[in-house]
């Protein structure tokens, strides 16, 4: 076999190239699917972590601010946070640009067990300036990696204190949204966020939640359903007949599920490329 290969170098080159292209396409596609779907689902070490989803049985709707407040107050078996994806106007050395950020409740990072590479996480209000946490990439590229002591940046025309830096390997659990900046929901008025972020009837909030202590999923579900019924009685125009469910992270994330068909199609296509390469040989 070796003598044959040496005597036919052109055939060897075509063979290696053909198999190489087929393997490369398959490996690349699997790497993407693995990073988005498999590693994040398996690697997230957050027992009892999930989210409260609202809406009809077939829906996974976002929540209104008053729904977030009700679930955080009336579901003792769950630690509930609120998150909203919001655009911010940032003015730096490169001029004005739009940043996609995550506005989170003060307890969010404790809920997901996040740790900062530098600085600190959000703490109690009443410290003067609104505060923000930035990604390590943003801190390095936009803020030149300077010391956090007294560091501020301008968001929506407001000076904001930069109090912490999250390392580049940080990923918010259960999704692929990758913000550069995290701000506090509690600072929404100071940062001039759109009024609908805190409008009681506008549904813009995700509700990540985690079981407390020895609480069970069944108990959390009963409490969530009871809170949803109470909301329906208090706000019949917007919440009558509107259910709610506690879904564990392992049950799937809406962002991920929306791409599952695309990922499956990509894997089938590159698998066919590999098969074609083999059959051609």
């Amino acid at each position: 076999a070796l003598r044959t290969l040496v005597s036919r170098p052109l055939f060897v080159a075509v063979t290696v190239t053909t198999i190489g292209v087929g393997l490369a396409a398959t490996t690349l596609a699997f790497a993407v699917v693995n990073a988005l779907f498999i590693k994040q689902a398996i690697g997230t070490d957050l027992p009892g972590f999930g989210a409260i989803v609202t809406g009809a049985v077939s829906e996974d709707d976002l929540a209104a601010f008053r729904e977030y407040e009700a679930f955080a107050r009336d579901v003792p078996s769950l630690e509930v946070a609120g998150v909203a994806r919001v655009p911010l106007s940032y003015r730096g050395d490169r001029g004005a640009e739009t940043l996609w950020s995550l506005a989170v409740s003060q307890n969010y990072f404790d809920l997901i067990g996040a740790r900062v590479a530098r600085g600190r996480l959000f703490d109690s209000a009443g410290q003067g300036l609104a505060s923000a946490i930035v990604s390590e990439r943003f801190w390095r590229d936009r803020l030149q990696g300077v010391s956090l002591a007294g560091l501020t940046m301008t968001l929506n025309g407001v000076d904001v204190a930069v109090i912490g830096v999250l390392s580049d390997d940080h990923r918010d659990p259960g999704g692929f949204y990758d913000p550069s900046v995290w701000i506090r929901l509690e600072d929404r008025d100071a940062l001039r966020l759109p009024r609908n972020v805190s409008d009681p009837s506008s549904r813009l909030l995700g509700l990540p939640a985690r079981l407390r202590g020895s609480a069970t999923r069944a108990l959390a579900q009963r409490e969530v359903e009871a809170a949803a019924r109470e909301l329906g009685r208090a706000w019949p125009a917007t919440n009558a007949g509107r259910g709610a469910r506690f879904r564990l992270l392992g049950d799937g994330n809406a962002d991920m599920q929306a791409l599952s068909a695309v990922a499956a199609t990509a894997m089938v296509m590159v698998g066919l490329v590999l098969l074609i390469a083999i059959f051609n040989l």
Side-chain angles (χ1 to χ4, degrees):
L2 290 174
R3 285 196 300 270
T4 301
L5 292 176
V6 170
S7 64
R8 303 179 65 186
L10 181 59
F11 173 75
V12 172
V14 172
T15 300
V16 171
T17 302
T18 304
I19 291 294
V21 169
L23 287 175
T26 308
T27 303
L28 177 61
F30 178 75
V32 173
V33 173
N34 186 41
L36 283 179
F37 295 88
I38 301 173
K39 276 192 174 181
Q40 238 174 16
I42 296 174
T44 305
D45 185 21
L46 294 173
F49 184 87
I52 297 175
V53 293
T54 60
V57 175
S58 59
E59 296 177 356
D60 278 348
D61 202 359
L62 294 174
F65 204 85
R66 65 183 170 211
E67 291 172 329
Y68 157 61
E69 291 178 329
F71 290 125
R73 179 186 64 244
D74 300 333
V75 183
S77 62
L78 291 176
E79 175 77 15
V80 182
V83 301
R85 300 174 182 180
V86 294
L88 296 173
S89 173
Y90 167 69
R91 181 169 293 277
D93 295 339
R94 305 179 187 181
E97 59 181 299
T98 298
L99 298 178
W100 279 97
S101 73
L102 205 61
V104 302
S105 55
Q106 186 174 300
N107 64 337
Y108 174 71
F109 288 115
D110 289 334
L111 186 74
I112 66 173
R115 297 290 181 269
V116 288
R118 294 172 179 81
R120 55 187 173 85
L121 295 172
F122 295 131
D123 48 25
S124 59
Q127 301 179 32
L129 290 178
S131 55
I133 294 172
V134 300
S135 69
E136 191 170 19
R137 180 182 63 255
F138 182 87
W139 174 71
R140 183 176 58 248
D141 295 344
R142 297 290 199 280
L143 303 179
Q144 289 75 51
V146 299
S147 169
L148 297 184
L151 178 62
T152 63
M153 63 180 180
T154 304
L155 297 175
N156 285 0
V158 177
D159 288 338
V160 176
V162 180
I163 64 169
V165 176
L166 288 179
S167 63
D168 282 339
D169 59 3
H170 168 78
R171 290 293 180 272
D172 291 295
F176 57 87
Y177 182 73
D178 192 20
S180 298
V181 177
W182 291 260
I183 59 175
R184 300 193 318 158
L185 273 175
E186 290 83 352
D187 290 331
R188 59 190 179 277
D189 293 331
L191 284 171
R192 305 169 185 169
L193 295 186
R195 290 185 181 275
N196 57 0
V197 173
S198 55
D199 187 317
S201 60
S202 295
R203 295 192 169 93
L204 298 174
L205 294 178
L207 302 179
R210 193 170 183 179
L211 291 170
R212 296 180 189 266
S214 59
T216 64
R217 179 181 184 177
L219 174 61
Q221 181 61 34
R222 289 195 297 271
E223 293 176 351
V224 166
E225 290 172 352
R229 287 194 296 269
E230 184 59 35
L231 280 165
R233 287 190 287 268
W235 306 93
T238 56
N239 285 80
R242 185 177 175 83
R245 300 165 298 285
F246 174 59
R247 173 175 291 168
L248 289 171
L249 180 62
D251 294 341
N253 175 273
D255 286 344
M256 297 298 160
Q257 290 170 342
L259 291 181
S260 59
V262 177
T265 302
M267 287 301 298
V268 170
M269 290 176 64
V270 297
L272 290 175
V273 170
L274 183 57
L275 286 175
I276 290 170
I278 294 171
F279 282 125
N280 281 344
L281 287 177

